[in-house]
Amino acid sequence: RDQVTSINQSNEDLRDQVTSLNQTNEDLSDQVITQDQKIKDLSDQVTKQNQTIKDLGDHVTTQNQTIKQLRDQATDLQDTNDELEGKVTTQKKSIEDLRDHVTTLKDTNEDLSDQVTTQDQKIRDLSDQVTKQNQTIKDLGDHVTTQNQTIKQLRDQATDLQDTNDELEGKVTTQKKSIEDLR
């Protein structure tokens, strides 16, 4: 009888342990479900972050392409500016040469005037030469006026190009700042 009581007590203890283990299993099962959900949520976050990183990478690539295009444009504008500066220098030299030529023609006219006053016979010949040279002087004056207008236009174009270069440099600086901010 004592043995039966002891066995019954042992059975009850075992039932209590089984009940306790069943409860522990349920608790652990709930924890596993909760952890599975957390893992899924974290996986979703990682997927979203990976997409965000890819989007930012694409954005940086686009920005780099834009920067390259702006640099190419700036180089083209600088080349154009250099060409214009060369043309302006050439035009200035032409104007100096024309001024020298005009001075020479003026000196020649003075010499001819002196000869006209002293030589009656040569008046008609010299008068024809003076008329021709006056026309040449007028033509040269017209040419100088045209050259001055051309130089003014070239200067205006150079100013416009410089303004454009300044704008592009501002945009490049802004793009660099944006890229640094992205990093």
Side-chain angles (χ1 to χ4, degrees):
R1 190 177 221 186
D2 287 338
Q3 275 185 339
V4 170
T5 302
S6 176
I7 288 173
N8 282 339
Q9 185 61 43
S10 289
N11 280 341
E12 271 200 45
D13 289 343
L14 286 173
R15 277 189 201 124
D16 288 345
Q17 285 179 0
V18 166
T19 301
S20 176
L21 287 172
N22 282 338
Q23 184 60 47
T24 300
N25 281 343
E26 284 182 32
D27 292 345
L28 288 173
S29 177
D30 289 345
Q31 286 179 2
V32 166
I33 290 170
T34 300
Q35 288 175 347
D36 282 346
Q37 184 59 43
K38 285 180 182 178
I39 288 170
K40 182 186 176 304
D41 292 345
L42 289 173
S43 176
D44 290 346
Q45 284 179 356
V46 167
T47 300
K48 286 178 184 176
Q49 287 173 344
N50 285 340
Q51 183 60 44
T52 300
I53 289 169
K54 182 189 174 299
D55 292 345
L56 286 174
D58 292 345
H59 185 67
V60 168
T61 299
T62 301
Q63 292 291 348
N64 286 339
Q65 289 171 350
T66 301
I67 288 169
K68 183 187 178 307
Q69 289 172 349
L70 289 174
R71 283 184 180 148
D72 290 346
Q73 287 175 356
T75 300
D76 291 345
L77 286 172
Q78 185 59 49
D79 291 345
T80 302
N81 281 346
D82 292 344
E83 283 181 38
L84 289 173
E85 286 176 5
K87 288 179 182 178
V88 167
T89 301
T90 301
Q91 292 296 333
K92 284 181 180 178
K93 177 69 174 125
S94 295
I95 289 171
E96 287 175 19
D97 291 346
L98 288 173
R99 285 184 180 149
D100 290 345
H101 188 64
V102 167
T103 299
T104 301
L105 288 174
K106 284 181 181 178
D107 291 344
T108 302
N109 279 344
E110 287 177 14
D111 290 343
L112 290 174
S113 290
D114 290 343
Q115 288 178 12
V116 166
T117 23
T118 58
Q119 300 176 358
D120 274 348
Q121 184 63 26
K122 295 182 180 179
I123 286 176
R124 279 183 232 136
D125 296 340
L126 291 175
S127 177
D128 290 344
Q129 287 181 359
V130 167
T131 300
K132 288 179 185 178
Q133 288 179 345
N134 283 338
Q135 182 58 46
T136 302
I137 290 170
K138 181 184 178 302
D139 292 345
L140 288 173
D142 291 344
H143 186 67
V144 167
T145 300
T146 301
Q147 292 294 329
N148 285 338
Q149 290 171 347
T150 301
I151 288 170
K152 182 186 179 308
Q153 290 171 348
L154 289 172
R155 283 184 181 146
D156 291 344
Q157 288 174 355
T159 300
D160 291 344
L161 285 170
Q162 184 60 48
D163 292 344
T164 302
N165 280 346
D166 292 344
E167 285 181 31
L168 287 173
E169 286 176 7
K171 289 179 181 179
V172 168
T173 300
T174 302
Q175 292 294 329
K176 283 181 181 176
K177 176 69 175 134
S178 296
I179 289 170
E180 288 174 11
D181 292 346
L182 286 174
R183 288 184 183 157

